[in-house]
Structures are given as C-alpha cells and as structure tokens.
Amino acid sequence: MTDFRLDLGTWVAGFISFVTDTFGGVFDVIRAIFLAAYDVVDLLLASPPFWVVIVIAAILGYLARGWRFALGTAVGLFVIVSVDQWENAMDTLALVLVASLLAIVLSIPLGIWAATSSVASRIIRPILDFMQTMPAFVYLIPALILFRVGVVPGIVATVIFALAPGVRLTELGIRGVDKEIVEAGQAFGASRWRILRQIQLPLARPTIMAGVNQVIMLSLSMVVIAGMVGAGGLGAQVVASLNRIDVALGFEAGLSVVILAIFLDRLTAALGDGETVLGRMLGARAARRRASAAPAAPERAAEPAPERTEPALV
C-alpha cells in the first residue's frame, strides 16, 4: 500500500462550504419558496374534512378509470383514516406533489433539449447516470447543510433522485417519433417550435407520461429517507417505528404509503394512455355536436321520366 490518497471528499466538502458562505442568501430564498409551496399544498389537503378529500379523489378516479377505481380509491383512503394516519398521509402527499412538480418542470425541458441536440444528450446522460447510481442518502448531506433540517432538504433530495427518468423518457419519446412525419411538417414550411408543439410532443405523450409516472413513484420511494431529515409525514412514522421496533406502527405507515402509491400510479397511467372516462365522454359529446351541426342532404326532386316518342313511319 502507498501513502497516496486522492482527497476528493475533502475537495467536495470545501466546495460545499464555499457555496454555503457565498450563496447562503440565495439558498435561504429557495428554502422559503419551497417551504411556502409545501405549506400551501399541505393546507389544501389537510384543512378540509377527510371525507371531502376522499370524495374529490374518488371523482378523479372515476373520470380517469371508471367506477371500480373510484370505489377502490375511496376504500383505500378510508383505510388510511381508520389507522389514524390521515394527517401524516396528507403531509406526505403534499411533499410528493411538490417534489414531483419541480422534477417534471425540470425534466421535460431537459429531455426536449437532449432530444433536439446530440451535444446536450452526450453531456446530460452521464450526469443522469451519476444521479441514479449515487445512494440517495448522499444527497441529504449537502441538502441539510444548504437548507437546514426540515421538509425542504427532503424535497431537494427527492427532486434530484426522481429527475432522471423524466429526462430519459422525454428524450426517448421525442426521438421515437417517425422521422417521415417530421419531414412532412418541414416540407410544409413548419418551424421547429411548431413541429415540436404540434407533432413531436403529441406523438410522444404516452412515453412522456410514463416518465411522469416514474417521477412520482420515485418521489414516493424517497418518503422514508425524507422523514429522516425532519420532513415529517409517513416517512417520519416509519423511522419512528424502526427506532422503537414497533411493528404495528411500521405496518400502518407502510400500508398508507402503498395506498397512495397505487392511487397515483393508476391515475397517471390512465392519463398517459389517454383512454380516460372523461376523454370518452367529451369525445362522444363532440361527435354528437358534429352530427347535429352537419347540414342535412337536400332531397332531390323526382324528375319526370322522359316521354317516349315513337319513330315516324314514312
């Protein structure tokens, strides 16, 4: 063994210290914005009576997948209420929604950029590989230093962890659009922005929505890790059950996470397929309007038969 050592960790720690000292005010502003967004969403979910939220979720489930999914949603959420985990579940749902929205807002433009630029794709891919393979606990260390203990480090770590599939699947969906369709749009003189907006994004929507689904699922998988840094919610309950070796509390909190995951997964999957109950209802209504607005074909008047004339005899 040699005495040579590459102090990468020391360099990274020095860089984090430099960033904290130099841009501390910027991170305080970011922390305030993220915390305000979380508080607003949490207020909307936790303030109404639980049955109001259950009814709204059941209506969304019906519009997305039908009455079976609506019934299953209502029963699942009522189970969360019955095990006394409703407030924790709403805190967790607020964190997941905020983190997922931030990850989607960042991932879709990055995916579009990677799909339209080979140079950007070659730069972004190794960064995404690094983000996906680095243990999620490592993200918490700089997040705690920059944003202090609370819900914000959990949101930041969740965004970093869940960002990659949104970028990858957005790029994959746009690159998978038939080149002949794109060339047809170019032949008609459409601009790059119009081709992207009216051709590539609509055709790539199922793949992009699959990426959105994966972002939400990975965000939920970070619930327990976020609970370790003071994010609260179901993750804090799981951590508390682990510290106390409380099987009952751990099972109830874990079951609540599973119910939320199934609801969000099925809902986003239905939106990605485009075959929702609401979509079919609106399509049928539009078809009826077109049929009623179409002018009736005018009836042709019966023409008198031409008179038959006999040839004159000479």
Side-chain angles (χ1 to χ4, degrees):
M1 297 292 293
T2 63
D3 294 333
F4 174 76
R5 171 178 167 78
L6 189 63
D7 290 331
L8 285 176
T10 304
W11 298 343
V12 173
F15 175 74
I16 294 297
S17 299
F18 167 76
V19 170
T20 304
D21 295 336
T22 307
F23 303 103
V26 176
F27 289 107
D28 288 340
V29 172
I30 295 174
R31 182 179 187 276
I33 294 173
F34 284 7
L35 189 59
Y38 170 80
D39 288 339
V40 169
V41 177
D42 189 47
L43 183 67
L44 293 176
L45 293 173
S47 295
F50 70 88
W51 58 268
V52 174
V53 179
I54 292 177
V55 169
I56 294 174
I59 292 173
L60 291 175
Y62 173 76
L63 295 177
R65 301 183 68 95
W67 67 269
R68 289 186 179 88
F69 182 59
L71 180 61
T73 297
V75 171
L77 294 179
F78 186 76
V79 169
I80 296 178
V81 176
S82 66
V83 296
D84 199 22
Q85 293 292 337
W86 180 255
E87 292 185 3
N88 293 322
M90 293 302 100
D91 293 343
T92 296
L93 184 58
L95 187 149
V96 169
L97 291 179
V98 172
S100 299
L101 180 61
L102 291 171
I104 291 167
V105 168
L106 293 173
S107 63
I108 291 180
L110 284 175
I112 294 172
W113 185 31
T116 55
S117 172
S118 299
V119 176
S121 179
R122 286 194 293 267
I123 295 173
I124 291 174
R125 284 184 182 180
I127 297 175
L128 296 180
D129 294 337
F130 177 83
M131 291 167 58
Q132 284 189 299
T133 53
M134 178 67 71
F137 287 95
V138 179
Y139 300 139
L140 294 178
I141 302 172
L144 280 171
I145 296 174
L146 296 174
F147 300 103
R148 302 191 294 275
V149 175
V151 69
V152 177
I155 292 175
V156 172
T158 301
V159 170
I160 296 173
F161 184 73
L163 188 68
V167 179
R168 291 187 188 278
L169 288 174
T170 300
E171 179 185 2
L172 178 64
I174 293 176
R175 288 186 181 273
V177 175
D178 192 348
K179 293 183 178 180
E180 294 183 355
I181 300 177
V182 176
E183 291 173 355
Q186 293 171 347
F188 281 101
S191 63
R192 292 181 60 182
W193 166 246
R194 189 171 182 181
I195 290 173
L196 175 65
R197 182 169 53 90
Q198 297 184 350
I199 296 177
Q200 291 176 314
L201 287 178
L203 293 177
R205 189 188 70 172
T207 307
I208 294 174
M209 288 302 299
V212 171
N213 178 274
Q214 291 300 306
V215 167
I216 295 174
M217 292 299 102
L218 287 179
S219 298
L220 267 171
S221 70
M222 287 288 290
V223 165
V224 176
I225 297 176
M228 298 179 66
V229 294
L234 295 172
Q237 297 296 304
V238 174
V239 173
S241 68
L242 180 63
N243 293 332
R244 302 201 301 256
I245 317 297
D246 190 339
V247 178
L249 178 61
F251 178 79
E252 291 171 356
L255 179 63
S256 302
V257 174
V258 170
I259 292 171
L260 291 179
I262 292 174
F263 170 69
L264 294 174
D265 177 62
R266 298 297 187 271
L267 185 65
T268 53
L271 295 176
D273 295 339
E275 293 296 330
T276 62
V277 174
L278 179 61
R280 290 194 293 269
M281 291 169 59
L282 293 177
R285 184 178 179 183
R288 288 194 299 268
R289 285 184 176 180
R290 287 195 299 268
S292 61
E299 296 182 0
R300 297 181 61 184
E303 298 180 358
E307 296 182 357
R308 186 176 178 181
T309 57
E310 295 292 339
L313 297 177
V314 179

